[in-house]
Amino acid sequence: MNALKVYKQIAKRWILPLLGMYAAVVLLMIIGFFSFDDFSVIFEIISIAVAAVVAYPVMKTAFTTSTFCGASRKKSFCAVMLAALTVVLIIAAAHFAESIIMYQSGDFYSYRIDVIGEPLPNGKCEYVAVDETYRYILTDYVLNSLSFTNNIVFMWIMFIVKLLLAFFSGLAFFTIMSRLSGTGKLINGGVVTILIVLNVCGSALFSSFDGYAPMLSDSFLVQIVPHEKLCPVYVAVYGLLIVIAVITAYLSYRRKPVKSERRV
């Protein structure tokens, strides 16, 4: 059994339902069911979480199928990597559709209000409506975690990279958990929880930085890296993390799971 046949089983059970779910969300956006002012940020956060959580059923399906049908570990892991790319592209396509819908909805997001000059003696300010660009909508509402760059292509590539990192991080976590004993699962879960807390708190842990910018985010890196070097550093950090996550997941999968002991 080759990797494509394992991938076919994954696609049938999990990827097609995921595609249908995001297609339904995009359809609801088109008919105006969602309010974009709050939905966009929530959509981005949930999508990154989905990329991490969906790694578990993908892993379980691939490894179960390969065990019963005789596929090698390498082939089943290749199928998982193909599934990861498919899942990430589906999520990215949904966000791309969202950004187009928002760009075309001129009622609110086509304009912003800029202040002209200094405040008047009575304390009031003069305002002017300024046409928005696709980049502004993309950075401020759809992919606001990548607002440090003006390059749309770079933003989309890095968004895909972040989703890949979320998927393979989830894959490594669930694979390790399936091969640990009860105590090992508790320790591993605690370590992951600590890492999540550190990332969420971010710069709040450092007295010289203000705010709660998550670690590895543009808001955090921009404070410790010169702006002209931020893009290559961003790529290097996330690229290294993906390599570590993939290697960890694969090496964990190669280990035999711990069998529970029966007590009489």
Side-chain angles (χ1 to χ4, degrees):
M1 190 175 191
N2 57 29
L4 291 178
K5 290 183 179 179
V6 179
Y7 171 78
K8 184 178 179 181
Q9 292 295 323
I10 297 173
K12 186 187 302 183
R13 295 182 184 181
W14 300 108
I15 293 179
L16 289 179
L18 182 69
L19 177 61
M21 182 191 73
Y22 272 99
V25 171
V26 172
L27 180 62
L28 290 173
M29 286 190 294
I30 293 175
I31 64 177
F33 182 80
F34 294 114
S35 174
F36 285 119
D37 51 352
D38 296 322
F39 179 71
S40 296
V41 177
I42 297 174
F43 194 22
E44 183 178 356
I45 295 173
I46 291 179
S47 292
I48 293 176
V50 166
V53 173
V54 80
Y56 175 71
V58 167
M59 174 199 71
K60 188 175 181 180
T61 302
F63 297 167
T64 302
T65 304
S66 62
T67 300
F68 284 105
C69 300
S72 66
R73 293 175 183 268
K74 290 182 179 180
K75 289 180 180 179
S76 61
F77 200 78
C78 287
V80 172
M81 296 184 74
L82 289 174
L85 184 60
T86 307
V87 167
V88 165
L89 290 179
I90 289 173
I91 297 175
H95 277 271
F96 182 76
E98 181 196 7
S99 66
I100 295 296
I101 295 169
M102 292 176 61
Y103 180 69
Q104 293 177 344
S105 61
D107 295 338
F108 179 77
Y109 286 103
S110 292
Y111 298 95
R112 75 174 187 271
I113 303 299
D114 280 359
V115 179
I116 300 178
E118 299 294 330
L120 300 176
N122 58 6
K124 296 183 179 180
C125 299
E126 294 185 43
Y127 299 93
V128 62
V130 181
D131 287 342
E132 284 304 338
T133 63
Y134 174 76
R135 185 208 64 78
Y136 181 85
I137 292 175
L138 195 66
T139 56
D140 281 24
Y141 296 103
V142 183
L143 302 179
N144 54 0
S145 62
L146 294 169
S147 58
F148 64 90
T149 177
N150 293 329
N151 191 323
I152 295 177
V153 175
F154 179 82
M155 279 193 291
W156 280 113
I157 290 176
M158 287 311 301
F159 179 63
I160 292 174
V161 167
K162 290 177 70 174
L163 291 175
L164 282 173
L165 176 60
F167 181 93
F168 284 113
S169 297
L171 180 66
F173 173 73
F174 291 122
T175 307
I176 292 173
M177 293 294 276
S178 68
R179 275 147 174 74
L180 293 176
S181 62
T183 305
K185 289 182 179 180
L186 184 63
I187 295 174
N188 189 53
V191 170
V192 171
T193 302
I194 292 172
L195 291 175
I196 292 175
V197 171
L198 288 175
N199 189 51
V200 171
C201 292
S203 58
L205 300 175
F206 300 90
S207 58
S208 58
F209 301 146
D210 297 326
Y212 294 88
M215 285 180 167
L216 304 181
S217 68
D218 61 286
S219 300
F220 180 78
L221 291 176
V222 75
Q223 299 178 73
I224 59 176
V225 178
H227 193 273
E228 63 274 8
K229 297 181 180 179
L230 188 58
C231 288
V233 170
Y234 208 73
V235 173
V237 169
Y238 274 87
L240 179 62
L241 290 174
I242 287 179
V243 172
I244 293 174
V246 172
I247 293 176
T248 302
Y250 180 69
L251 293 179
S252 301
Y253 172 59
R254 287 182 62 87
R255 289 187 59 202
K256 293 182 180 180
V258 176
K259 294 182 180 181
S260 58
E261 298 180 358
R262 292 186 178 181
R263 297 182 180 179
V264 179

